[in-house]
């Protein structure tokens, strides 16, 4: 037997073989649209037992329900297999993309270039005419901050784009979701960084930490981002 809490409703079809068909009915676009409408009233955030009782369904004879369910089980299984194959292909393409990037930024475009030990374990050999430098030698690195959110003068009617760490999940940052005021720039150890700045996430469980994006607008950043401004030398 099954015991459920008050957030669940048990449906017992009069004919046991109809259960899988009822499940498929709830999977249908019609059912999802009906549920969305019934659950989004002015004061409700969910469905009542009355709502479930009064959903109107197409209801074929039991033997036809069984045939429909078997057909759907077979066809949706094929589709699920195709989805799994496509997801695996996407993962393989991501791995290939990563490998291409990793090779070119450490070995260069000329496969015949003389190589030498780089002295950096993860790089291995590098082209002999390349230098090995610290990032700080070829770029300036800055950090940002979050203006006090209790002070309306820093946020209300702000027109200066301001970014948090989640923005690095984009390859290019072309817009901001939050804005601060000019007063916040002046009083909170912030500046509006120029387009072309590289942003790197400093925190996160692998999703944002170490992930980089190119800033395509002028914007300030919070303390969980590093701004890298490459020099032209």
């Amino acid at each position: 037997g099954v015991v459920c809490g008050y957030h669940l409703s048990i449906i017992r079809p009069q004919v046991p073989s109809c259960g899988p068909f009822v499940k498929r009915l709830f999977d249908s676009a019609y059912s999802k649209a009906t549920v969305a409408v019934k659950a989004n009233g002015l004061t409700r955030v969910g469905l009542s037992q009355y709502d479930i009782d009064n959903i109107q369904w197409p209801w074929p004879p039991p033997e036809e329900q069984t045939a429909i369910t078997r057909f759907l089980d077979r066809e949706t299984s094929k589709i699920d297999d195709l989805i799994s194959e496509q997801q695996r292909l996407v993962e393989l393409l991501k791995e290939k993309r990563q490998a291409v990037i990793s090779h070119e930024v450490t070995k260069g475009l000329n496969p015949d270039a003389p190589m030498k030990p780089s002295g950096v374990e993860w790089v291995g050999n590098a082209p002999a005419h390349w230098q090995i430098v610290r990032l700080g030698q070829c770029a300036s690195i800055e950090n940002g901050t979050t203006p006090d959110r209790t002070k309306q003068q820093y946020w209300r009617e702000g027109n200066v784009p301001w970014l948090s760490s989640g923005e690095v999940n984009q390859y290019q940052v072309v817009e901001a979701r939050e804005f601060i005021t000019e007063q916040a720039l002046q009083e909170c150890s912030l500046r509006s960084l120029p387009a072309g700045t590289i942003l790197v996430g400093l925190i996160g469980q692998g999703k944002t930490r170490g992930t980089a994006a190119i800033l395509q607008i002028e914007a300030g950043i919070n303390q969980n981002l590093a701004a890298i401004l490459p020099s032209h030398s």
Side-chain angles (χ1 to χ4, degrees), residues 107 116-127 130-133:
K107 312 302 180 188
K116 68 176 181 181
S118 67
V120 180
E121 182 176 356
W122 68 271
V123 173
N125 290 336
W130 287 20
Q131 299 181 54
I132 301 299
V133 300

Side-chain angles (χ1 to χ4, degrees), residues 6-217:
Y6 63 90
H7 289 310
L8 293 173
S9 180
I10 296 177
I11 300 173
R12 295 187 179 91
Q14 295 176 353
V15 179
S17 62
C18 295
F21 182 76
V22 173
K23 196 277 180 189
R24 291 301 188 181
L25 280 169
F26 273 98
D27 289 342
S28 70
Y30 165 80
S31 171
K32 295 184 184 301
T34 300
V35 167
V37 170
K38 290 182 177 295
N40 287 327
L42 294 176
T43 59
R44 290 183 296 174
V45 293
L47 296 171
S48 67
Q49 184 69 48
Y50 176 85
D51 292 324
I52 298 294
D53 288 345
N54 287 278
I55 294 177
Q56 293 184 312
W57 303 104
W59 197 250
E63 62 275 10
E64 195 169 349
Q65 292 182 28
T66 300
I68 290 171
T69 300
R70 287 175 177 170
F71 171 82
L72 289 176
D73 287 347
R74 183 172 63 252
E75 294 304 311
T76 56
S77 179
K78 292 178 183 178
I79 293 170
D80 289 342
D81 288 343
L82 288 172
I83 290 172
S84 295
E85 290 176 11
Q86 292 300 313
Q87 289 174 335
R88 176 56 181 159
L89 177 60
V90 169
E91 292 304 314
L92 289 172
L93 289 171
K94 286 181 178 178
E95 291 175 10
K96 180 176 177 59
R97 179 181 185 273
Q98 185 69 63
V100 169
I101 292 172
S102 299
H103 183 274
E104 301 310 327
V105 299
T106 59
K107 312 302 180 188
L109 298 174
N110 182 4
D112 299 320
M115 306 293 282
K116 68 176 181 181
S118 67
V120 180
E121 182 176 356
W122 68 271
V123 173
N125 290 336
H129 64 286
W130 287 20
Q131 299 181 54
I132 301 299
V133 300
R134 292 183 299 104
L135 180 59
Q137 293 177 255
C138 55
S140 60
I141 302 170
E142 302 180 16
N143 194 219
T145 190
T146 300
D148 189 339
R149 290 187 179 274
T150 66
K151 295 184 177 181
Q152 291 191 3
Q153 65 268 33
Y154 291 163
W155 297 94
R156 188 173 182 179
E157 298 181 357
N159 60 358
V160 178
W162 179 85
L163 308 172
S164 58
S165 58
E167 305 302 333
V168 295
N169 291 318
Q170 310 172 60
Y171 174 68
Q172 300 183 66
V173 180
V174 298
E175 61 181 359
R177 286 177 285 188
E178 293 187 278
F179 296 83
I180 59 175
T181 63
E182 292 288 345
Q183 184 176 349
L185 279 183
Q186 297 170 8
E187 298 179 2
C188 300
S189 301
L190 274 167
R191 79 174 178 112
S192 187
L193 297 161
T197 299
I198 307 302
L199 304 178
V200 178
L202 298 177
I203 66 168
Q205 299 300 317
K207 180 65 175 178
T208 57
R209 185 178 58 219
T211 300
I214 302 173
L215 185 61
Q216 298 290 14
I217 57 175

